[in-house]
Amino acid sequence: MSEIPVIVKTEGQVTVISINRPHVRNAVDRDTSTALHDAFVAFEADKNQCVAVLSGEGGTFCAGADLKAISEPGQARANRVERHGPGPMGPTRLILSKPTICAIEGFCVAGGLELAAWCDLRVAANNATFGVFCRRFGVPLIDGGTVRLPRLIGGSRALDMILTGRPVGAMEALAMGLVNRISEPGKALEVAMDLARTLLEFPQYCMRSDRQSLYEQWDLEFAAAMANEINLGISVLQSGETVAGAKHFVGGAGRHGIFGR
């Protein structure tokens, strides 16, 4: 039976996408990257799905690109490195309209770190390990690592990771802002799913609009970013979602930290 490199499941309005190559610590080859890309494209197109969770099977998130595939003659299984189209790790050039959460167990290194940085939020087991381990083998970060990592944790910390390739533990990753939530070992997916269900409780148009404004402001001058924010906000206000939410609040919802659509 051929390997199924990526497993996709849905739980309510949450899509769980799991890398399924535990025998190589979920290293990603060409077929796996294609399957990951296609899974997130399908998630984005499905109006019934609101949050995606990316994880790895077998106690490891992702060890990066499959170096064995890269070393093979002809490189038929090697990750694609074209300037256009899907990224080497798969979905990392996609711009989604809906949030993604990464559930991290074990190693999250090299291209795996780039996958995690592409997600909006990251939940890690307290014994997880992060790092630019590809530094050791002459494999560059070419899937957003040198761009997203400093935007997440700042230039100084990103340079420390990128230049030295040193391992970074989960608690240090939490302190530097690379990780958003910590779980017990084996519980990262469970905590990520709880976080996903929390996001489901909020008015979706408003949440997605604020998320869009945050990402788009990186490419804009301050005044343009402020104008973009108000334009997106007005669209939400005109949608009727805000009025409905206000009525929901008046009716007693949202108080004492209790939410619900």
Side-chain angles (χ1 to χ4, degrees), residues 43 50-53 96-101 120-121 199 204 207-208 211:
F43 160 71
C50 297
V51 183
V53 174
L96 304 183
S97 66
K98 298 178 281 191
T100 59
I101 302 170
D120 297 303
L121 299 172
L199 299 188
Q204 295 295 294
M207 182 181 68
R208 294 177 192 178
R211 175 184 176 275

Side-chain angles (χ1 to χ4, degrees), residues 34 43 81 133 141 161 176 192 225 247 260:
T34 298
F43 160 71
V81 292
F133 284 14
L141 294 171
M161 292 185 70
M176 65 172 60
K247 291 179 178 178

Side-chain angles (χ1 to χ4, degrees), residues 5-59:
V6 173
I7 299 172
V8 181
K9 299 178 181 178
T10 58
E11 295 189 23
Q13 293 179 295
V14 179
T15 297
V16 182
I17 299 170
S18 301
I19 306 171
N20 183 40
R21 305 187 76 217
H23 58 289
V24 289
R25 290 187 172 179
N26 291 326
V28 172
D29 61 5
R30 182 178 290 256
D31 287 347
T32 309
S33 68
T34 298
L36 282 171
H37 175 271
D38 292 348
F40 278 101
V41 168
F43 160 71
E44 175 70 9
D46 191 337
K47 295 181 180 180
N48 294 318
Q49 293 300 294
C50 297
V51 183
V53 174
L54 175 62
S55 69
E57 296 290 319

Side-chain angles (χ1 to χ4, degrees), residues 173-247:
L174 177 67
M176 65 172 60
L178 179 56
V179 166
N180 303 97
R181 303 282 191 280
I182 291 291
S183 78
E184 293 297 317
K187 299 293 185 180
L189 180 57
E190 181 180 324
V191 174
M193 292 297 292
D194 287 342
L195 182 54
R197 285 187 282 267
T198 296
L199 299 188
L200 292 178
E201 293 297 314
F202 300 120
Q204 295 295 294
Y205 186 20
C206 181
M207 182 181 68
R208 294 177 192 178
S209 176
D210 286 350
R211 175 184 176 275
Q212 179 182 346
S213 179
L214 184 150
Y215 280 118
E216 291 179 348
Q217 62 86 25
W218 286 112
D219 300 320
L220 301 172
E221 300 263 346
F222 182 79
M226 293 292 286
N228 187 54
E229 180 190 69
I230 191 64
N231 288 335
L232 289 168
I234 287 173
S235 179
V236 174
L237 293 172
Q238 292 175 340
S239 72
E241 189 176 79
T242 303
V243 172
K247 291 179 178 178

Side-chain angles (χ1 to χ4, degrees), residues 134-151:
C134 50
R135 178 60 53 240
R136 298 162 170 77
F137 308 109
V139 179
L141 294 171
I142 56 173
D143 217 0
T146 64
V147 178
R148 293 190 176 103
L149 194 59
R151 291 186 179 191

